[in-house]
Amino acid sequence: MTPAQHQPQHAPELRAAARHLGRRRFLTLTGAAAALAFSVNLPAAGTASAAELDAARITADPFTLGVASGDPQPGSVLLWTRLAPAPYQADAGLPAQRVTVSWELALDERFRQVVRRGTATAHPEFQHTVHVEADHLPPGHVFYYRFKAGRWISPTGRTRTAPPEGARVKDLTFGLVSCQRYDQGYYTAYRHLAEEDVDVVFHLGDYLYEYAVSAVGGARAYPAGTLPALFNHETVTLEDYRLRYALYKSDPDLRAAHAAHPFVVTWDDHETENNYADDTSESEGPAEEFLLRRAAAYRAYWENMPLRRPQLPDGPDLRLYRRLHWGRLAQFDVLDTRQYRSNQAYGDGWQYPGPESEDPRRTLTGDAQERWLLKGWQRSDAVWNVLPQQVTFSRRYNSTTLPSKVSMDSWDGYPASRDRVLAGAEAAGVENLMVLTGDVHVHYGFDIKRDFDDPGSRTLGTEIVTSSITSGGDGAEKPANWSTYLAANPHLRFYNGLRGYATVSMNDRFARADFKTVSRVTTQGAPLTTAASFVTEVGDQGLTPA
């Protein structure tokens, strides 16, 4: 989907300053600090500059956006909340003063067995968000958590720590979600996911969309004037992005899913701007201006996601790729395929591959992230090596007639990058590879082939692509291109165009993927259906119907 052309909304003085901040200067300490100051209004004195607000003076519930947890490790988990008595206001209903928030972590929902408690500061410079790294916890345990500010108590969240890194783990179940455009439907799928028995949820991008949201909430068709006009323009500034997160997190079904399960998040493009590539915007305007927008988007992303301190952005840069373990059963290498990529070849979109897209110097991950991934595989002793990332990894032709066009925004537009990753997996002895993908608003199940031109070549792994939560509207079980895609791509084992999510259950013998759908998202209450289930065996990769 291509939005209407737009002009940056930064103040003239900010834009003038940005012209003097080239890409190289952004990557220096001075340049990054200048970018941060211009784009997020962080005072030079830092986060200790604000006076303190007595939490007893907060007269309305500040926990309107719920709670969340994320990035479970064997001895710790990240707990998140944000104070917002008036979430649809720019100041969220609080003065520019810091607030002391207390937190508790217990073994039971009634908090009779509290194992950890403490306080954290909600800084106005971080829009009164709270990130608590609760540590010194026993591994492999379920916990309940909550926050308090003044007389207000947050909803209770449920989270867990990961098993010890070297432990033999019997099994693991996780959910996959992506693409939740607010104005294209209700988050019914999240309500169902909140009721699932999963250990962790991977969000694979497009948590937020930058496009305008009308006063009726688009396809949600609220009564006229339900939402304020401040949402009815594209996000550009830090204030814009913060308000848009408030809108999305006001949804009760999304809040329920966050409260029920720890999330591991990574972004795609719409958290900043559609189909951007590194410092190149969709409109290919001045890089300096776009990097200011990127700094604002990255800042708001960290504020509103259950992310740890190492992911705190530095101006327009945020290291989001990271590694998590689930005992010896699974290693998760979470990728960022947006921040470091080469610009899309041939002007983006669906194009015929050629010398530009096949240039071996092109990269989707950037050199540093690629080296990090391959070295991590070399050291891995996990049964399953899992790659949560954003865009379709397997080759995807859109025609049975050759040559066929491919998507320049996916790994098909960066085939040399894909070849290096697969070669690195083989060289490292990775036998059970699973790639997790979002972005395309449909369910796919792929066999990853050593040579996609030869259906009989070795299957190196599988790719599970989850459909959107809402993006694209209701969708269809068999989209118009359904038969063409299946015929053109013999390694495509499943295709469904309804909305929903996927779950994967794995042990040391096999993994099972369940593709789950809802019949509609433009009205509430649709039931959940398991559209198909597939298994792939340890040591014998490839999807077969369960």
Side-chain angles (χ1 to χ4, degrees), residues 6-83:
H6 62 276
Q7 293 296 321
Q9 301 299 309
H10 300 293
E13 60 271 18
L14 188 153
R15 297 178 65 186
R19 294 190 185 100
H20 299 290
L21 296 172
R23 174 62 174 166
R24 290 185 180 179
R25 282 202 60 208
F26 269 81
L27 297 181
T28 67
L29 179 62
T30 302
L36 185 62
F38 282 126
S39 61
V40 303
N41 303 315
L42 186 64
T47 57
S49 62
E52 184 165 5
L53 173 68
D54 181 358
R57 296 178 58 193
I58 300 176
T59 58
D61 182 7
F63 298 109
T64 57
L65 304 180
V67 299
S69 67
D71 281 18
Q73 296 181 2
S76 69
V77 69
L78 190 288
L79 309 178
W80 175 95
T81 194
R82 176 178 165 189
L83 305 182

Side-chain angles (χ1 to χ4, degrees), residues 20 27 29 44 59 121 124 178 265 311 359 394 448 459 544:
H20 299 290
L27 297 181
L29 179 62
T59 58
T121 301
S178 73
V265 301
Q311 280 68 58
D359 186 334
S394 302
I448 299 172
T459 299
T544 58

Side-chain angles (χ1 to χ4, degrees), residues 387-416:
L387 201 61
Q389 55 93 54
Q390 295 77 17
V391 295
T392 305
F393 185 86
S394 302
R395 193 180 68 187
R396 187 171 42 131
Y397 283 161
N398 70 354
S399 171
T400 55
T401 302
L402 298 181
S404 172
K405 292 182 176 180
V406 295
S407 169
M408 291 295 146
D409 192 57
S410 71
W411 288 81
D412 277 336
Y414 305 78

Side-chain angles (χ1 to χ4, degrees), residues 8 10 72 84 96 112-113 120 132 172 176 209 313 333 367 391 434 453 458 516-517:
H10 300 293
R112 292 173 175 170
Q113 296 176 280
V132 172
L172 162 68
L176 309 179
Y209 278 73
D333 293 288
D367 294 339
V391 295
M434 179 176 287
D453 288 324
R458 182 185 174 195
K516 304 190 177 185
T517 60

Side-chain angles (χ1 to χ4, degrees), residues 319 321-323 332-335 367-377 379 387:
R319 177 169 165 167
Y321 63 89
R322 60 205 190 279
R323 180 170 294 124
F332 295 95
D333 293 288
V334 183
L335 295 191
D367 294 339
Q369 184 178 196
E370 183 179 293
R371 289 193 301 270
W372 167 85
L373 173 63
L374 301 188
K375 287 181 180 178
W377 279 344
R379 300 187 182 108
L387 201 61

